[in-house]
Amino acid sequence: MAKPHLPRLVDDRSPSWSGAPWRPSQWRPLVWLDVYSVGDPLLDDDHRRLMEEINRLGAALVDQTAPVSEALIAPLERLAHQEAEHNVREEAILAQLGYPGLEAHRAEHRQLENGLGALVESLITEGPIESETLADLLKDWFVRHVLGRDMRYKTYILEGRERAGQPRPPLAKPKT
């Protein structure tokens, strides 16, 4: 059986988040750290929930002995739905603040949504994919978008809160 062509969730020429082959026994859940905060409690909560959903999928992949198939279509659709809802909320907040990079960020959101949709479609039409491929895609997406691109607007959100007379959230304390 031919391996299905999978879309990139984020169009970026950099290597995968780890660069190393993944094995189910190596799955390590993503862990939320306060430094991942983008300065808005609603968006941070969304990001935590997306991370939890990715972790649930990762745990399911560990239990998967064969290539990923229909069993993960519903969880991936749920993740895609959560991502779309988050994008609407994030774009509204950024528009309200007048974020100058909104159009580029909005375009990336559409790319992410299309990539997740195409991933689900490829599972339906082309059959299973290897667990490590899916795990790498999901972590790569979260790391690149949330911990990479969303950090670009963090300062803008914090400064917008100050302009609106709202205090900045407290800085995260280092873990000792």
Side-chain angles (χ1 to χ4, degrees):
M1 171 171 50
K3 196 171 189 178
H5 169 72
L6 297 174
R8 291 188 57 85
L9 297 180
V10 177
D11 184 17
D12 192 345
R13 297 188 190 340
S14 62
S16 77
W17 74 278
S18 69
W22 180 88
R23 291 172 194 76
S25 62
Q26 296 173 321
W27 172 260
R28 299 290 181 267
L30 295 165
V31 177
W32 181 263
L33 301 174
D34 290 339
V35 297
Y36 300 162
S37 171
V38 295
D40 184 276
L42 289 174
L43 299 181
D44 290 341
D45 186 54
D46 282 353
H47 289 156
R48 276 190 289 273
R49 285 186 294 115
L50 289 166
M51 181 184 281
E52 289 167 4
E53 194 64 39
I54 289 170
N55 285 339
R56 277 191 286 279
L57 281 163
L61 291 173
V62 170
D63 295 336
Q64 187 89 19
T65 56
V68 177
S69 62
E70 295 174 11
L72 293 179
I73 291 173
L76 282 168
E77 287 175 334
R78 189 171 49 249
L79 178 65
H81 180 74
Q82 283 181 335
E83 171 66 13
E85 285 181 343
H86 162 70
N87 291 346
V88 168
R89 192 169 10 267
E90 186 175 84
E91 290 167 14
I93 288 169
L94 295 177
Q96 184 179 25
L97 292 171
Y99 178 60
L102 177 58
E103 288 311 311
H105 205 76
R106 187 175 278 145
E108 183 167 329
H109 282 168
R110 298 303 80 78
Q111 181 184 4
L112 288 168
E113 291 168 8
N114 291 339
L116 281 170
L119 178 59
V120 171
E121 183 63 28
S122 74
L123 285 172
I124 293 169
T125 61
E126 299 178 38
I129 61 172
E130 295 299 319
S131 299
E132 62 270 14
T133 302
L134 180 58
D136 208 29
L137 278 169
L138 293 173
K139 277 192 172 182
D140 201 40
W141 159 65
F142 189 84
V143 169
R144 284 190 201 190
H145 184 74
V146 175
L147 305 183
R149 288 169 176 87
D150 282 0
M151 288 298 147
R152 292 178 184 164
Y153 66 67
K154 180 177 185 170
T155 301
Y156 203 83
I157 283 183
L158 293 174
E159 290 172 355
R161 291 173 67 96
E162 286 181 351
R163 285 189 301 271
Q166 300 171 346
R168 283 185 181 221
L171 293 176
K173 295 179 183 160
K175 306 272 189 224
T176 56

